[in-house]
Amino acid sequence: DSGVTQTPKHLITATGQRVTLRCSPRSGDLSVYWYQQSLDQGLQFLIQYYNGEERAKGNILERFSAQQFPDLHSELNLSSLELGDSALYFCASSVAPPGLASNLYNEQFFGPGTRLTVL
Amino acid sequence: GEDVEQSLFLSVREGDSSVINCTYTDSSSTYLYWYKQEPGAGLQLLTYIFSNMDMKQDQRLTVLLNKKDKHLSLRIADTQTGDSAIYFCAPPRGRNNAGNMLTFGGGTRLMVKP
């Protein structure tokens, strides 16, 4: 158990709908990352938050957004869903702050993921 | 990921050694990581190597780093069926990026046959 929790575990919805995925980081971790894992795209970084602020963006679509709340949990909102959005969405957390980037040892702890199926 | 390359699949017999290779383009990372994803689970850190090292050994795991060729490898000795999983190499993004997210390779699916 990594200490990172994600809900729901599975989500099935229809095209055009909107869903919210939730993540609670490990106790004490201020950084939260969202990743998407699909068969054709592999594991891709979407977005990072640190202590409530967005710090880095990856291959995140405009239809997707995220936020991190004062209690440090994070939500990933996916709207106008398309079939191609079906994937595993992982949240990860770490203690290392951004900005110092790759100079710090930064183990990321991953949640079990949310499997999204868009029909 | 486009900056990190791994072979897709590796099949070995139980008891043999497995070698998973990774090449990358961004060489500014101080640490390079190997993550393991078991079926139906999230990723977990398996091991890492500091960029000024050539080799790191951790029980059955050996990590080799060739910075000149930007090549990283993971060797698993005496591979067991429980080692069957997807292995991702992950050098972080460069220091010019404000974040410290990981750039994953496509992952190598290791299948261990009894």
Side-chain angles (χ1 to χ4, degrees), chain A residues 14-15 23 26 32 40 46 48 51 53 66 69-72 82 87 90 94-95 100 105 111:
Chain A
T15 55
C23 166
R26 284 190 329 153
V32 169
D40 56 342
L46 296 178
Q48 177 193 9
N51 203 20
E53 291 188 9
F69 295 86
D71 67 353
L72 301 177
E82 301 175 0
F90 288 106
S94 74
V95 65
L100 297 179
Y105 175 74

Side-chain angles (χ1 to χ4, degrees), chain A residues 36-79:
Chain A
Q36 179 194 57
Q37 185 178 33
S38 61
L39 284 174
D40 56 342
Q41 296 288 330
L43 190 60
Q44 296 214 2
F45 165 73
L46 296 178
I47 197 164
Q48 177 193 9
Y49 279 80
Y50 178 75
N51 203 20
E53 291 188 9
E54 180 187 306
R55 295 307 299 264
K57 261 187 174 179
N59 299 322
I60 187 166
L61 300 171
E62 285 192 12
R63 299 183 286 109
F64 296 180
S65 65
Q67 52 184 329
Q68 187 180 27
F69 295 86
D71 67 353
L72 301 177
H73 91 271
S74 178
E75 292 180 357
L76 179 67
N77 300 297
L78 315 176
S79 61

